[in-house]
Structure formats: C-alpha cells, structure tokens
C-alpha cells in the first residue's frame, strides 16, 4: 500500500512598496540629506529672523527669502518621494528636475551665506544663521553630487561587452 504525502507551504509577505507612504525613503541617503537640509535651513532662517539689530537689512532679507524658498522646494521634493508622487507624473524628468533644483539652490544658499557672514558684524545670531547656511550648502552639494551620478552617470545599455 503506497501513500503519497503532498505538503503545501503558503507564505505571505508584505513588501515596503505597499501602501501610500514610503517610510523607507526616510532611511535612505537622499532622504536623510533632505531631512538634514530642511533642519539646517530652518535653523538658519530662525536665527536670522529672531536676531535683533541687523547691520544690513537687505542682506539678511535676501538670506531669509532665499533660505525659505529653497527649504520649501526641498520639502516639496521630500513629500514627492515620501508619497511616491513622482510615479503619478511621468511626464516630468524628476532626477533632472532635482539636479536643476540642487544646482541653483546650492549656489543661492552659498551666496546668501557668504553675504550673511560678511555682514553679520558682532551679532552672534546672524553668525549662527550663516554657519547653518554653510552647513545646508554642504548638504545640498552632496545631494547635487548624488543626483548628478544618478542623472548623468553611466547607464547600462544591456549590450554584451
């Protein structure tokens, strides 16, 4: 008498790609860089905004406006990645758009930080704001470098070498 035993194993896995929110993005290097940029830019704006006795009103207004606009753009890109919205708008080249944003934003924040450092005088809050502006510039330059390697780096064509 012969018996046949059939074993069926069923496994259920849930990938991180399910759902609307991509929390895994916050643990990636680009996600951490964006969080660091937003924090550094927010601290820089708050330092300059809360300072008393600005030696140069126009210079620090430029610093505030430039930092605020760039930090809002970083926040928009962060939300786009967090909610996977770039997949819903395929007509836009998102890596190239981020590369352009980081190119312009890095230069603007660097210029604003230099102007703030030169015009700060003895106001320690303004010096701190310019230091955080330089930190944000460094983080944006790293993001620019990583987005450049994604956007303009070598692409495999699938051809046999």
């Amino acid at each position: 008498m012969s018996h046949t035993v059939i074993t069926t194993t069923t496994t259920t896995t849930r990938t991180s790609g399910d759902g609307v929110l991509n929390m895994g993005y916050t643990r990636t290097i680009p996600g951490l860089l964006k969080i660091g940029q937003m924090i550094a830019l927010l601290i820089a704006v708050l330092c300059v905004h809360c300072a008393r006795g600005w030696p140069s009103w126009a210079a620090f207004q430029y610093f505030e406006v430039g930092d605020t606009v760039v930090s809002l753009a970083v926040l928009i890109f962060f939300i786009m990645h967090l909610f996977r919205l770039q997949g819903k708008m395929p007509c836009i080249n998102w890596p190239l758009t981020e590369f352009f944003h980081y190119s312009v934003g890095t230069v603007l924040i660097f210029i604003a930080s230099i102007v703030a450092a030169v015009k700060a005088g003895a106001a320690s809050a303004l010096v701190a704001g310019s230091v955080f502006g330089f930190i944000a510039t460094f983080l944006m330059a790293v993001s620019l470098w990583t987005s450049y390697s994604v956007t303009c780096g070598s692409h495999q064509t699938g051809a046999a070498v």
Side-chain angles (χ1 to χ4, degrees), residues 30 33-34 37 102 138-148:
L33 283 170
K34 282 182 180 60
Q37 292 162 15
Y102 283 123
F138 172 75
L139 293 173
M140 290 182 74
V142 172
S143 292
L144 176 65
W145 179 256
T146 58
S147 71
Y148 173 77

Side-chain angles (χ1 to χ4, degrees), residues 25 30-38 74 77-78 81 98 102:
Y25 181 72
L32 291 172
L33 283 170
K34 282 182 180 60
I35 291 170
Q37 292 162 15
M38 287 186 288
V74 170
F77 281 118
F78 183 73
H81 286 286
E98 280 196 59
Y102 283 123

